[in-house]
Amino acid sequence: MAETEGLVNGVESLSVNDTPPPESSDNVSGDEYHVKWGFSLEELYKIALKFYKEKEGKALQVTYKDKLRLVAYTKQVSFGKIRNDVSPDVGFLDVVGNDRRQAWQALGDMSKESAMEEFVKFLEGSCNLFKPFVEAHKAEKEEKLRQQQEEEERLRREEEERKQRELEEEARKQQEAEKQRQMEQEMQIRSALNQQTAAQFRQYAEQQYPGNTQMQEELIRQLQEQHFQQYMQQVYQQQLMHQQQQLQQMHTSNNNSSTTLPQPATPQQLNSYPQQSMDLGHREGQALENGQTDGAEESIAPSLPHIMPASMWTRKDLKQFKESVGKCKENVIKIGSLATATVRVPTHEDGSCLFWEFATDYYDIGFGVYFEWTIAPSNTVSVHVSEDTDEEEFEEEEGGGEATDVKGDVEKGKKQDNRPPTDEIIPIYRRDCHEEVYCGSHTYPGRGVYLLKFDNSYSLWRSKTLYYRVYYSR
């Protein structure tokens, strides 16, 4: 019995070297242990040693000879091959010590990996509880790994959310600062414009509502708001013209050998222009405050005609509008590919402002407004649809047989020298009128004829169905 206790104590007193053993070609590869057990050989040996200490004498019953082998395996793992010059001498009467020493010497040059492998194999073959014991440790290891991964994922998400909140907060602050800057610029421009027109608007309001101070103030506010909107639209239009000129110059420089005209900027591209226009308006507003009215006007629009800018907006009730207009077949036009429709609307003697609304099915169309300084014989609205080739032949006839080589462009109107003077109110741009209703208005500049051009000359194959409505107000 004393010999057995000595062997057990010998095993319990052993420690496992944490330094990973060198690889050996004589051992089973570590990948195989990972596949079978879920642990490396060294990790599996530590678990087997723990199992032996806990279960020996209980669930694990081994013989005295087997215990000597197990002790020898553990010493071979910890210290390697026995060396007589280093190992302490064992007393002659120490039977257990001599037996352990002989068992250790019997292992010879066995490697540490082989000793660990033999130790594990012995326990696996000797006790059925060893495999469930290892599987329990494997499940515990996987659970810890899962919890660690969940914690790392939680920390990662929290860090991403924190950074996202910081970015959103920074963007919000920038938007608020930009909005505040625009409001300050708008107030400066309004103040300068109001000072410039205060006397004129006051005189007009007194003529319209003599003796009624409240109505006079209301009318002045309306006039000031309208004047500001027209001023900013004029600045915005000038900025658009400048952007178009830049695009044309870039296209011409990059395609000297091409005869294709540059494609106009789309409404999405033009979304970046209002801020530049506001900055320009801000500089001109400062000039107005300093009394430099003439210079400001010249710097804003040196070549603009003496005509009020038009107002344009959109509506979302596309389906209702087309159903309403479609009841009158005269207000529905089929415009073929490579064709342009011109709606001629004479000014009405009882009106002072023209309004228009239009939409299309499925596809966009070019739209622009011109004013022809001519006196129409009647107030009848007429529609002229022309093919692109027909207009070229007409221009050749008007020019005495000489080809003008002027092709219709979706962005530019056609002006002929033998026609009445015509002013461009809104340049032709492609409008997404298949997505929303486009509306607009313009104050009469005098007697004449409005030309509402719906240009489909850029479309080679598709025809467009146009729904439109025009009317005037007093």
Side-chain angles (χ1 to χ4, degrees):
M1 185 66 183
E3 295 176 352
T4 301
E5 292 178 354
L7 288 174
V8 174
N9 293 334
V11 173
E12 292 179 350
S13 62
L14 293 176
S15 61
V16 180
N17 189 0
D18 293 334
T19 304
E23 296 182 357
S24 175
S25 59
D26 298 333
N27 298 325
V28 181
S29 64
D31 291 339
E32 295 183 6
Y33 283 97
H34 272 290
V35 172
K36 181 178 180 180
W37 298 97
F39 296 97
S40 65
L41 178 58
E42 183 178 357
E43 292 174 333
L44 184 60
Y45 171 73
K46 292 180 181 180
I47 296 175
L49 192 59
K50 180 180 179 181
F51 175 81
Y52 178 78
K53 292 179 180 180
E54 292 180 0
K55 305 298 182 181
E56 197 280 327
K58 302 176 184 176
L60 178 63
Q61 301 292 335
V62 293
T63 64
Y64 175 75
K65 184 178 179 180
D66 290 335
K67 288 181 181 180
L68 290 176
R69 287 174 54 198
L70 293 176
V71 172
Y73 290 146
T74 57
K75 286 191 174 291
Q76 191 78 5
V77 171
S78 301
F79 305 105
K81 180 181 179 181
I82 188 172
R83 294 175 58 186
N84 296 325
D85 58 339
V86 176
S87 302
D89 295 333
V90 180
F92 179 76
L93 298 179
D94 188 356
V95 179
V96 176
N98 283 302
D99 291 342
R100 288 188 299 179
R101 189 180 184 88
Q102 292 176 5
W104 188 5
Q105 287 176 341
L107 298 180
D109 295 329
M110 179 183 287
S111 64
K112 295 182 180 181
E113 290 78 10
S114 297
M116 288 189 291
E117 183 179 351
E118 293 298 327
F119 189 92
V120 171
K121 286 182 178 179
F122 177 83
L123 293 182
E124 181 184 6
S126 302
C127 184
N128 295 330
L129 297 180
F130 177 69
K131 188 172 183 179
F133 187 82
V134 176
E135 290 177 350
H137 279 74
K138 179 181 177 181
E140 182 181 359
K141 175 185 176 181
E142 291 176 348
E143 178 64 19
K144 289 181 179 179
L145 181 60
R146 185 188 64 80
Q147 292 179 356
Q148 180 181 0
Q149 292 176 346
E150 290 181 353
E151 180 66 15
E152 292 176 353
E153 179 66 18
R154 184 184 65 81
L155 295 176
R156 186 186 64 80
R157 288 199 304 267
E158 290 180 354
E159 181 65 16
E160 289 180 354
E161 292 174 357
R162 183 186 64 80
K163 291 181 179 179
Q164 183 66 23
R165 287 194 299 268
E166 291 178 354
L167 292 175
E168 291 176 355
E169 181 66 18
E170 182 66 21
R172 186 185 63 80
K173 291 180 179 179
Q174 292 180 357
Q175 290 179 355
E176 291 180 353
E178 182 66 20
K179 184 177 180 181
Q180 181 65 25
R181 188 177 71 87
Q182 292 183 3
M183 291 178 61
E184 292 175 355
Q185 292 179 359
E186 179 179 333
M187 291 177 61
Q188 292 177 3
I189 296 174
R190 285 181 181 274
S191 176
L193 293 175
N194 293 344
Q195 291 178 8
Q196 184 182 9
T197 59
Q200 299 174 2
F201 289 166
R202 174 65 62 182
Q203 182 180 2
Y204 178 78
E206 291 175 352
Q207 293 176 355
Q208 297 296 320
Y209 301 102
N212 192 337
T213 305
Q214 183 178 358
M215 293 300 297
Q216 291 177 8
E217 295 297 331
E218 180 65 23
L219 178 58
I220 290 174
R221 284 194 295 270
Q222 294 177 1
L223 293 174
Q224 289 175 342
E225 178 64 24
Q226 184 180 8
H227 185 215
F228 171 76
Q229 296 297 335
Q230 292 173 349
Y231 177 85
M232 293 306 301
Q233 189 171 9
Q234 192 177 36
V235 174
Y236 178 58
Q237 185 179 19
Q238 180 67 15
Q239 185 69 18
L240 295 183
M241 293 173 60
H242 178 65
Q243 293 289 342
Q244 289 298 318
Q245 291 174 0
Q246 289 183 339
L247 289 175
Q248 291 178 3
Q249 292 174 0
M250 292 173 58
H251 188 277
T252 303
S253 62
N254 294 333
N255 302 276
N256 292 327
S257 60
S258 175
T259 58
T260 305
L261 291 176
Q263 191 70 13
T266 62
Q268 289 79 7
Q269 292 172 322
L270 299 179
N271 286 338
S272 61
Y273 299 161
Q275 179 56 46
Q276 302 175 10
S277 302
M278 178 63 78
D279 294 338
L280 178 59
H282 172 60
R283 294 194 297 269
E284 301 306 333
Q286 291 179 338
L288 289 173
E289 288 181 343
N290 297 330
Q292 302 172 356
T293 55
D294 295 338
E297 292 297 332
E298 293 176 359
S299 62
I300 296 172
S303 61
L304 287 177
H306 296 285
I307 193 168
M308 297 291 289
S311 300
M312 287 195 68
W313 61 94
T314 59
R315 301 202 317 260
K316 297 296 183 181
D317 55 338
L318 182 65
K319 182 178 179 181
Q320 295 84 342
F321 172 77
K322 290 195 291 188
E323 290 177 353
S324 174
V325 174
K327 296 178 181 179
C328 182
K329 295 184 178 180
E330 296 178 353
N331 291 346
V332 181
I333 307 174
K334 184 69 173 292
I335 305 176
S337 59
L338 301 176
T340 300
T342 302
V343 180
R344 297 177 59 87
V345 185
T347 56
H348 198 280
E349 58 184 5
D350 294 333
S352 62
C353 184
L354 176 71
F355 289 83
W356 61 83
E357 303 169 325
F358 67 92
T360 56
D361 287 334
Y362 308 118
Y363 306 106
D364 61 358
I365 198 168
F367 173 75
V369 180
Y370 297 83
F371 188 81
E372 187 178 275
W373 295 92
T374 184
I375 299 178
S378 66
N379 294 329
T380 304
V381 176
S382 61
V383 179
H384 173 65
V385 180
S386 61
E387 298 292 337
D388 196 43
T389 54
D390 294 340
E391 288 195 359
E392 288 182 354
E393 294 175 0
F394 177 77
E395 289 175 0
E396 291 178 1
E397 294 175 0
E398 291 293 329
E402 296 180 359
T404 58
D405 195 23
V406 179
K407 188 176 181 180
D409 186 3
V410 69
E411 307 301 337
K412 298 180 179 179
K414 297 179 179 178
K415 299 183 181 180
Q416 297 181 354
D417 296 337
N418 59 342
R419 293 186 178 183
T422 303
D423 278 325
E424 181 184 71
I425 299 176
I426 299 176
I428 299 179
Y429 293 110
R430 294 172 66 171
R431 319 285 178 170
D432 294 329
C433 48
H434 60 297
E435 297 178 352
E436 51 189 356
V437 183
Y438 272 70
C439 313
S441 66
H442 186 256
T443 304
Y444 288 175
R447 295 189 62 184
V449 179
Y450 281 96
L451 307 179
L452 276 61
K453 289 187 175 291
F454 298 93
D455 197 332
N456 194 34
S457 61
Y458 59 89
S459 180
L460 297 177
W461 310 108
R462 294 192 180 101
S463 59
K464 310 291 174 62
T465 300
L466 172 69
Y467 303 80
Y468 80 97
R469 178 166 56 196
V470 294
Y471 53 93
Y472 69 90
S473 65
R474 299 180 183 275

